[in-house]
Amino acid sequence: MELVVKIFRYELNNSIRSKWTILYSVFFFLLNYILLSFDSGSGRSAISMMNIVLIVVPLVSLIFGAIYVYNSREYIEMILCQPIDRKSLFIGLYLGNTIPLSSGFMFGMMLPLLLTTTFENLFPFLILTFCGVALTFVFTSVAFGVSIKINDRVKGFGISILTWLLLAVIYDGILLFIIYYFSDYPIENVVLGVSMLNPIDLARIIFILNFDVSALMGYTGALFQKFLGEQTGFFISIISLLLWCFIPTYFAYRKFLKKDF
C-alpha cells in the first residue's frame, strides 16, 4: 500500500503540472460558467452540459490514457527492473491518471455553481458530475487495456478512437436499426440488455431519469422508465455503470500482470 501511495503521489504531481489536465479543467469551467450565466435556474444548462460531457469526457479519457501509457513505456520498464510488484505499480499508475483527470472535471463542473450561486441546479449537476467521473474511470481503463495489449502506437490510438466512435455515435444507429427491423417482436428486454453494454448510454439514462424531459429520453431511456420504474431503473443503471468501472480495469490489470515489457 505504501508503494501504491508513492507511485500515486508521483503521478499526481506530474498530472497537476500537466497543461492538458489544466486545459481540460478550464474548458469545462468556462463552458459551464457561460451556460449558467445565460440560463440560470431552469436546468437547461445541465441538459446542454450533458450532451457535451457524454462526448468529450470519454474521448479525452481514451486519448489521455493512451498517450500516457505509450509515452511511459520506458519509465514502466525501468520501474519493473526494481523489486516492485506489478499490482502496486498498475494501481498507482491507474489512480494517478484517473483521479487528477476526474478532479479537473469536477472542478470545472462545480466551481461555476458557486460563482453563479445557482444552487437550484445543484442536484442535476451532481448527477452529471458523477456520470462524468464514472466515464473517466471507464474509458481510462479501456485506454490502459488497449495500450498495454498493443505495442504499435498508431494501431493502439486507432482502436481507442474507434471504440469511442462505436459507443458514442455508431451504437445508437445500430440500436435504432434493431428496433426498426424487429419492431413486430417483443424486443424490449433485448433492448434493455443491449443498452447496458454501452456506458455512455447508461450515463445518459441515469441523468435523464431524474428529470421530466421525456423528449430526451430516447427509446432505451423510455424503456427503463416504463419497465423498471424511475427509481428501480435509476439504481440498476447506477450499478451497471459501476460494473463498467470495474470490469475494464480488471482486464487491463490482468493484461499488465502478464505483459512482457
Side-chain angles (χ1 to χ4, degrees):
M1 190 64 189
E2 184 181 352
L3 180 59
V4 173
V5 173
K6 285 183 179 178
I7 296 172
F8 169 72
R9 289 175 59 184
Y10 177 76
E11 296 301 327
L12 182 63
N13 290 331
N14 283 341
S15 297
I16 291 173
R17 290 195 296 267
S18 169
K19 295 178 182 177
W20 290 109
T21 305
I22 296 172
L23 286 174
Y24 182 63
S25 181
V26 170
F27 168 77
F28 277 107
F29 169 78
L30 290 177
L31 197 62
N32 202 13
Y33 182 78
I34 292 171
L35 287 173
L36 285 171
S37 299
F38 281 101
D39 186 32
S40 61
S42 68
R44 284 180 295 185
S45 53
I47 296 172
S48 300
M49 283 303 297
M50 178 198 73
N51 295 317
I52 298 167
V53 167
L54 296 185
I55 295 295
V56 173
V57 170
L59 181 61
V60 171
S61 300
L62 281 169
I63 293 176
F64 192 81
I67 288 176
Y68 174 79
V69 174
Y70 283 120
N71 288 345
S72 304
R73 281 191 176 269
E74 293 181 357
Y75 164 72
I76 294 172
E77 291 172 3
M78 182 193 72
I79 294 293
L80 289 176
C81 292
Q82 310 300 319
I84 294 175
D85 69 291
R86 291 194 174 206
K87 176 182 176 182
S88 300
L89 180 58
F90 177 83
I91 294 173
L93 295 176
Y94 177 67
L95 293 180
N97 277 266
T98 50
I99 290 181
L101 207 57
S102 300
S103 301
F105 170 73
M106 291 171 65
F107 174 83
M109 290 294 293
M110 301 308 295
L111 186 60
L113 288 176
L114 299 176
L115 296 178
T116 55
T117 62
T118 54
F119 291 109
E120 58 270 32
N121 276 334
L122 182 61
F123 183 67
F125 274 95
L126 283 177
I127 295 291
L128 190 56
T129 302
F130 166 78
C131 293
V133 171
L135 290 177
T136 302
F137 275 77
V138 172
F139 285 94
T140 301
S141 64
V142 171
F144 266 54
V146 171
S147 305
I148 291 169
K149 181 177 178 58
I150 299 173
N151 292 324
D152 189 303
R153 180 188 293 256
V154 175
K155 190 176 178 181
F157 273 109
I159 292 177
S160 297
I161 298 298
L162 186 62
T163 302
W164 171 80
L165 198 63
L166 178 65
L167 295 177
V169 181
I170 300 174
Y171 176 86
D172 286 338
I174 295 173
L175 200 58
L176 287 174
F177 177 83
I178 294 173
I179 294 169
Y180 177 78
Y181 275 93
F182 296 96
S183 58
D184 294 333
Y185 300 94
I187 58 171
E188 289 82 3
N189 291 332
V190 175
V191 173
L192 283 175
V194 171
S195 66
M196 292 183 184
L197 300 177
N198 186 349
I200 297 177
D201 211 26
L202 283 172
R204 181 176 63 86
I205 290 170
I206 289 170
F207 179 81
I208 291 178
L209 278 177
N210 289 277
F211 303 95
D212 186 20
V213 283
S214 55
L216 296 176
M217 290 287 284
Y219 190 77
T220 53
L223 283 178
F224 265 82
Q225 189 178 41
K226 178 181 177 180
F227 289 97
L228 303 177
E230 290 187 7
Q231 288 188 346
T232 308
F234 175 74
F235 284 113
I236 290 178
S237 302
I238 289 282
I239 292 170
S240 301
L241 191 57
L242 291 177
L243 284 175
W244 261 104
C245 294
F246 172 76
I247 294 173
T249 307
Y250 176 75
F251 281 109
Y253 165 70
R254 296 290 300 174
K255 190 63 188 174
F256 187 79
L257 293 184
K258 299 177 181 177
K259 178 73 174 179
D260 183 15
F261 285 95

Short mmCIF file of all heavy atoms in Angstrom, two decimals, residues 194-236:
data_model
loop_
_atom_site.label_atom_id
_atom_site.label_comp_id
_atom_site.label_asym_id
_atom_site.label_seq_id
_atom_site.Cartn_x
_atom_site.Cartn_y
_atom_site.Cartn_z
N VAL A 194 -29.11 -4.75 -24.21
CA VAL A 194 -28.10 -4.18 -25.10
C VAL A 194 -27.67 -2.79 -24.62
O VAL A 194 -26.50 -2.43 -24.71
CB VAL A 194 -28.66 -4.11 -26.54
CG1 VAL A 194 -27.71 -3.33 -27.45
CG2 VAL A 194 -28.86 -5.51 -27.09
N SER A 195 -28.62 -2.02 -24.09
CA SER A 195 -28.29 -0.66 -23.63
C SER A 195 -27.31 -0.69 -22.47
O SER A 195 -26.55 0.26 -22.27
CB SER A 195 -29.56 0.08 -23.22
OG SER A 195 -30.15 -0.53 -22.10
N MET A 196 -27.31 -1.78 -21.68
CA MET A 196 -26.37 -1.88 -20.56
C MET A 196 -24.95 -2.15 -21.04
O MET A 196 -24.01 -2.09 -20.24
CB MET A 196 -26.81 -2.99 -19.61
CG MET A 196 -28.09 -2.68 -18.86
SD MET A 196 -28.52 -3.98 -17.70
CE MET A 196 -30.10 -3.39 -17.10
N LEU A 197 -24.79 -2.47 -22.32
CA LEU A 197 -23.47 -2.73 -22.86
C LEU A 197 -22.74 -1.45 -23.24
O LEU A 197 -21.59 -1.49 -23.67
CB LEU A 197 -23.57 -3.65 -24.08
CG LEU A 197 -24.20 -5.03 -23.83
CD1 LEU A 197 -24.29 -5.81 -25.13
CD2 LEU A 197 -23.41 -5.81 -22.80
N ASN A 198 -23.43 -0.33 -23.13
CA ASN A 198 -22.83 0.94 -23.51
C ASN A 198 -22.79 1.88 -22.30
O ASN A 198 -23.83 2.38 -21.86
CB ASN A 198 -23.63 1.58 -24.64
CG ASN A 198 -22.97 2.83 -25.18
OD1 ASN A 198 -22.02 3.35 -24.60
ND2 ASN A 198 -23.47 3.31 -26.30
N PRO A 199 -21.61 2.17 -21.73
CA PRO A 199 -21.54 3.05 -20.55
C PRO A 199 -22.01 4.47 -20.83
O PRO A 199 -22.54 5.14 -19.94
CB PRO A 199 -20.06 3.01 -20.17
CG PRO A 199 -19.35 2.59 -21.41
CD PRO A 199 -20.29 1.69 -22.15
N ILE A 200 -21.82 4.95 -22.06
CA ILE A 200 -22.27 6.31 -22.40
C ILE A 200 -23.79 6.37 -22.36
O ILE A 200 -24.38 7.32 -21.85
CB ILE A 200 -21.73 6.72 -23.79
CG1 ILE A 200 -20.21 6.77 -23.77
CG2 ILE A 200 -22.31 8.06 -24.20
CD1 ILE A 200 -19.58 7.09 -25.11
N ASP A 201 -24.45 5.34 -22.89
CA ASP A 201 -25.91 5.30 -22.87
C ASP A 201 -26.42 5.18 -21.44
O ASP A 201 -27.44 5.80 -21.08
CB ASP A 201 -26.40 4.11 -23.71
CG ASP A 201 -27.76 4.39 -24.34
OD1 ASP A 201 -28.06 5.58 -24.56
OD2 ASP A 201 -28.51 3.45 -24.60
N LEU A 202 -25.73 4.41 -20.61
CA LEU A 202 -26.12 4.28 -19.20
C LEU A 202 -26.03 5.62 -18.49
O LEU A 202 -26.92 5.98 -17.71
CB LEU A 202 -25.22 3.26 -18.51
CG LEU A 202 -25.53 1.79 -18.78
CD1 LEU A 202 -24.44 0.90 -18.19
CD2 LEU A 202 -26.88 1.41 -18.19
N ALA A 203 -24.95 6.37 -18.75
CA ALA A 203 -24.80 7.69 -18.12
C ALA A 203 -25.92 8.62 -18.55
O ALA A 203 -26.47 9.38 -17.74
CB ALA A 203 -23.44 8.27 -18.48
N ARG A 204 -26.27 8.57 -19.83
CA ARG A 204 -27.37 9.41 -20.33
C ARG A 204 -28.69 9.05 -19.66
O ARG A 204 -29.47 9.92 -19.24
CB ARG A 204 -27.49 9.25 -21.85
CG ARG A 204 -28.59 10.09 -22.48
CD ARG A 204 -28.57 9.95 -24.00
NE ARG A 204 -28.86 8.57 -24.40
CZ ARG A 204 -30.09 8.09 -24.55
NH1 ARG A 204 -31.13 8.86 -24.33
NH2 ARG A 204 -30.28 6.84 -24.92
N ILE A 205 -28.94 7.74 -19.51
CA ILE A 205 -30.18 7.29 -18.87
C ILE A 205 -30.23 7.71 -17.40
O ILE A 205 -31.27 8.16 -16.90
CB ILE A 205 -30.30 5.76 -19.00
CG1 ILE A 205 -30.56 5.38 -20.47
CG2 ILE A 205 -31.43 5.21 -18.13
CD1 ILE A 205 -30.44 3.90 -20.74
N ILE A 206 -29.10 7.57 -16.69
CA ILE A 206 -29.05 7.97 -15.27
C ILE A 206 -29.41 9.44 -15.11
O ILE A 206 -30.18 9.83 -14.22
CB ILE A 206 -27.64 7.70 -14.70
CG1 ILE A 206 -27.42 6.19 -14.56
CG2 ILE A 206 -27.46 8.38 -13.35
CD1 ILE A 206 -25.99 5.82 -14.23
N PHE A 207 -28.88 10.27 -15.98
CA PHE A 207 -29.15 11.71 -15.89
C PHE A 207 -30.61 12.02 -16.22
O PHE A 207 -31.29 12.72 -15.47
CB PHE A 207 -28.21 12.46 -16.84
CG PHE A 207 -28.42 13.94 -16.83
CD1 PHE A 207 -27.88 14.73 -15.83
CD2 PHE A 207 -29.19 14.55 -17.81
CE1 PHE A 207 -28.09 16.10 -15.82
CE2 PHE A 207 -29.40 15.92 -17.80
CZ PHE A 207 -28.85 16.69 -16.81
N ILE A 208 -31.09 11.47 -17.32
CA ILE A 208 -32.42 11.85 -17.81
C ILE A 208 -33.54 11.27 -16.94
O ILE A 208 -34.61 11.88 -16.81
CB ILE A 208 -32.57 11.39 -19.28
CG1 ILE A 208 -31.65 12.24 -20.16
CG2 ILE A 208 -33.99 11.54 -19.76
CD1 ILE A 208 -31.67 11.85 -21.61
N LEU A 209 -33.32 10.12 -16.31
CA LEU A 209 -34.37 9.52 -15.48
C LEU A 209 -34.74 10.40 -14.29
O LEU A 209 -35.80 10.24 -13.70
CB LEU A 209 -33.90 8.15 -14.95
CG LEU A 209 -34.06 6.96 -15.90
CD1 LEU A 209 -33.50 5.70 -15.26
CD2 LEU A 209 -35.50 6.76 -16.31
N ASN A 210 -33.88 11.36 -13.95
CA ASN A 210 -34.14 12.22 -12.81
C ASN A 210 -34.85 13.52 -13.18
O ASN A 210 -35.08 14.36 -12.34
CB ASN A 210 -32.82 12.56 -12.11
CG ASN A 210 -32.26 11.37 -11.38
OD1 ASN A 210 -32.65 11.09 -10.25
ND2 ASN A 210 -31.37 10.64 -12.04
N PHE A 211 -35.18 13.65 -14.48
CA PHE A 211 -35.82 14.89 -14.91
C PHE A 211 -36.99 14.58 -15.82
O PHE A 211 -37.02 13.57 -16.50
CB PHE A 211 -34.81 15.79 -15.65
CG PHE A 211 -33.61 16.09 -14.83
CD1 PHE A 211 -32.46 15.32 -14.96
CD2 PHE A 211 -33.65 17.09 -13.89
CE1 PHE A 211 -31.37 15.56 -14.18
CE2 PHE A 211 -32.55 17.34 -13.11
CZ PHE A 211 -31.41 16.60 -13.25
N ASP A 212 -37.93 15.49 -15.82
CA ASP A 212 -39.11 15.33 -16.65
C ASP A 212 -38.84 15.89 -18.04
O ASP A 212 -39.34 16.94 -18.44
CB ASP A 212 -40.30 16.06 -16.02
CG ASP A 212 -41.58 15.79 -16.78
OD1 ASP A 212 -41.63 14.78 -17.51
OD2 ASP A 212 -42.53 16.58 -16.61
N VAL A 213 -37.98 15.20 -18.74
CA VAL A 213 -37.62 15.63 -20.10
C VAL A 213 -37.83 14.45 -21.03
O VAL A 213 -36.89 13.89 -21.57
CB VAL A 213 -36.16 16.14 -20.16
CG1 VAL A 213 -36.06 17.54 -19.59
CG2 VAL A 213 -35.24 15.20 -19.40
N SER A 214 -39.08 14.06 -21.19
CA SER A 214 -39.40 12.86 -21.95
C SER A 214 -38.91 12.94 -23.40
O SER A 214 -38.61 11.92 -24.01
CB SER A 214 -40.91 12.64 -21.94
OG SER A 214 -41.59 13.79 -22.42
N ALA A 215 -38.81 14.17 -23.93
CA ALA A 215 -38.37 14.31 -25.32
C ALA A 215 -36.93 13.86 -25.50
O ALA A 215 -36.51 13.49 -26.60
CB ALA A 215 -38.51 15.76 -25.78
N LEU A 216 -36.16 13.87 -24.40
CA LEU A 216 -34.75 13.48 -24.49
C LEU A 216 -34.51 12.04 -24.04
O LEU A 216 -33.37 11.58 -24.05
CB LEU A 216 -33.90 14.41 -23.62
CG LEU A 216 -33.88 15.88 -24.05
CD1 LEU A 216 -33.09 16.69 -23.05
CD2 LEU A 216 -33.30 16.03 -25.43
N MET A 217 -35.58 11.37 -23.65
CA MET A 217 -35.39 10.03 -23.08
C MET A 217 -34.83 9.06 -24.10
O MET A 217 -34.00 8.23 -23.78
CB MET A 217 -36.72 9.50 -22.56
CG MET A 217 -37.23 10.21 -21.32
SD MET A 217 -36.29 9.79 -19.87
CE MET A 217 -36.92 8.17 -19.55
N GLY A 218 -35.30 9.15 -25.33
CA GLY A 218 -34.88 8.14 -26.30
C GLY A 218 -35.59 6.83 -26.02
O GLY A 218 -36.30 6.68 -25.02
N TYR A 219 -35.39 5.85 -26.91
CA TYR A 219 -36.10 4.58 -26.75
C TYR A 219 -35.64 3.82 -25.53
O TYR A 219 -36.45 3.31 -24.75
CB TYR A 219 -35.89 3.75 -28.01
CG TYR A 219 -36.77 2.52 -28.08
CD1 TYR A 219 -38.10 2.62 -28.43
CD2 TYR A 219 -36.24 1.26 -27.78
CE1 TYR A 219 -38.91 1.49 -28.48
CE2 TYR A 219 -37.05 0.13 -27.84
CZ TYR A 219 -38.37 0.26 -28.18
OH TYR A 219 -39.17 -0.87 -28.23
N THR A 220 -34.33 3.73 -25.32
CA THR A 220 -33.82 2.94 -24.18
C THR A 220 -34.16 3.60 -22.85
O THR A 220 -34.51 2.93 -21.89
CB THR A 220 -32.30 2.77 -24.30
OG1 THR A 220 -31.71 4.05 -24.46
CG2 THR A 220 -31.94 1.89 -25.46
N GLY A 221 -34.07 4.93 -22.79
CA GLY A 221 -34.42 5.63 -21.56
C GLY A 221 -35.89 5.46 -21.24
O GLY A 221 -36.28 5.25 -20.09
N ALA A 222 -36.74 5.53 -22.27
CA ALA A 222 -38.18 5.33 -22.07
C ALA A 222 -38.47 3.91 -21.59
O ALA A 222 -39.36 3.69 -20.76
CB ALA A 222 -38.91 5.61 -23.37
N LEU A 223 -37.73 2.93 -22.10
CA LEU A 223 -37.92 1.54 -21.66
C LEU A 223 -37.54 1.37 -20.19
O LEU A 223 -38.22 0.69 -19.43
CB LEU A 223 -37.09 0.60 -22.53
CG LEU A 223 -37.63 0.29 -23.92
CD1 LEU A 223 -36.66 -0.61 -24.67
CD2 LEU A 223 -38.99 -0.36 -23.83
N PHE A 224 -36.43 1.99 -19.79
CA PHE A 224 -36.03 1.92 -18.38
C PHE A 224 -37.11 2.50 -17.49
O PHE A 224 -37.44 1.96 -16.44
CB PHE A 224 -34.71 2.69 -18.17
CG PHE A 224 -33.50 1.83 -18.24
CD1 PHE A 224 -32.95 1.47 -19.45
CD2 PHE A 224 -32.91 1.35 -17.09
CE1 PHE A 224 -31.83 0.67 -19.54
CE2 PHE A 224 -31.78 0.55 -17.14
CZ PHE A 224 -31.25 0.21 -18.37
N GLN A 225 -37.68 3.62 -17.91
CA GLN A 225 -38.70 4.28 -17.11
C GLN A 225 -39.99 3.45 -17.09
O GLN A 225 -40.65 3.33 -16.06
CB GLN A 225 -38.99 5.66 -17.68
CG GLN A 225 -39.89 6.51 -16.78
CD GLN A 225 -40.11 7.87 -17.36
OE1 GLN A 225 -40.30 8.03 -18.56
NE2 GLN A 225 -40.07 8.88 -16.51
N LYS A 226 -40.35 2.85 -18.22
CA LYS A 226 -41.61 2.11 -18.34
C LYS A 226 -41.56 0.77 -17.61
O LYS A 226 -42.47 0.42 -16.86
CB LYS A 226 -41.93 1.89 -19.82
CG LYS A 226 -43.20 1.08 -20.05
CD LYS A 226 -43.45 0.88 -21.54
CE LYS A 226 -44.69 0.02 -21.77
NZ LYS A 226 -44.94 -0.19 -23.22
N PHE A 227 -40.51 0.00 -17.82
CA PHE A 227 -40.47 -1.38 -17.31
C PHE A 227 -39.83 -1.50 -15.93
O PHE A 227 -40.10 -2.43 -15.20
CB PHE A 227 -39.72 -2.28 -18.30
CG PHE A 227 -40.50 -2.54 -19.54
CD1 PHE A 227 -40.25 -1.79 -20.68
CD2 PHE A 227 -41.50 -3.50 -19.59
CE1 PHE A 227 -40.97 -2.01 -21.85
CE2 PHE A 227 -42.22 -3.71 -20.75
CZ PHE A 227 -41.97 -2.97 -21.88
N LEU A 228 -38.95 -0.59 -15.59
CA LEU A 228 -38.25 -0.71 -14.31
C LEU A 228 -38.66 0.37 -13.32
O LEU A 228 -38.32 0.28 -12.14
CB LEU A 228 -36.74 -0.65 -14.54
CG LEU A 228 -36.18 -1.71 -15.48
CD1 LEU A 228 -34.69 -1.50 -15.66
CD2 LEU A 228 -36.45 -3.11 -14.93
N GLY A 229 -39.42 1.37 -13.79
CA GLY A 229 -39.77 2.46 -12.90
C GLY A 229 -38.59 3.39 -12.75
O GLY A 229 -37.44 3.00 -12.97
N GLU A 230 -38.85 4.62 -12.36
CA GLU A 230 -37.77 5.60 -12.31
C GLU A 230 -36.70 5.23 -11.28
O GLU A 230 -35.52 5.26 -11.56
CB GLU A 230 -38.36 6.97 -11.99
CG GLU A 230 -39.18 7.54 -13.14
CD GLU A 230 -39.61 8.96 -12.87
OE1 GLU A 230 -39.16 9.53 -11.87
OE2 GLU A 230 -40.40 9.48 -13.65
N GLN A 231 -37.12 4.87 -10.05
CA GLN A 231 -36.13 4.58 -9.01
C GLN A 231 -35.39 3.27 -9.29
O GLN A 231 -34.17 3.21 -9.18
CB GLN A 231 -36.81 4.51 -7.64
CG GLN A 231 -37.26 5.88 -7.13
CD GLN A 231 -37.76 5.81 -5.71
OE1 GLN A 231 -38.02 4.73 -5.18
NE2 GLN A 231 -37.91 6.96 -5.07
N THR A 232 -36.16 2.23 -9.66
CA THR A 232 -35.52 0.94 -9.96
C THR A 232 -34.58 1.07 -11.15
O THR A 232 -33.46 0.58 -11.13
CB THR A 232 -36.57 -0.13 -10.24
OG1 THR A 232 -37.51 -0.15 -9.17
CG2 THR A 232 -35.93 -1.49 -10.39
N GLY A 233 -35.07 1.73 -12.21
CA GLY A 233 -34.24 1.94 -13.39
C GLY A 233 -32.99 2.74 -13.07
O GLY A 233 -31.91 2.45 -13.58
N PHE A 234 -33.15 3.74 -12.18
CA PHE A 234 -32.01 4.58 -11.78
C PHE A 234 -30.94 3.74 -11.07
O PHE A 234 -29.75 3.81 -11.41
CB PHE A 234 -32.52 5.69 -10.86
CG PHE A 234 -31.44 6.56 -10.30
CD1 PHE A 234 -30.79 7.49 -11.10
CD2 PHE A 234 -31.07 6.45 -8.97
CE1 PHE A 234 -29.79 8.30 -10.58
CE2 PHE A 234 -30.07 7.26 -8.44
CZ PHE A 234 -29.44 8.18 -9.26
N PHE A 235 -31.36 2.92 -10.10
CA PHE A 235 -30.38 2.14 -9.33
C PHE A 235 -29.74 1.04 -10.19
O PHE A 235 -28.55 0.76 -10.05
CB PHE A 235 -31.04 1.55 -8.09
CG PHE A 235 -31.27 2.54 -7.00
CD1 PHE A 235 -32.55 2.92 -6.63
CD2 PHE A 235 -30.19 3.15 -6.37
CE1 PHE A 235 -32.76 3.86 -5.64
CE2 PHE A 235 -30.39 4.10 -5.37
CZ PHE A 235 -31.69 4.46 -5.01
N ILE A 236 -30.53 0.43 -11.08
CA ILE A 236 -29.95 -0.58 -11.98
C ILE A 236 -28.92 0.07 -12.91
O ILE A 236 -27.85 -0.50 -13.18
CB ILE A 236 -31.05 -1.29 -12.78
CG1 ILE A 236 -31.87 -2.19 -11.84
CG2 ILE A 236 -30.47 -2.12 -13.92
CD1 ILE A 236 -33.01 -2.91 -12.50
#
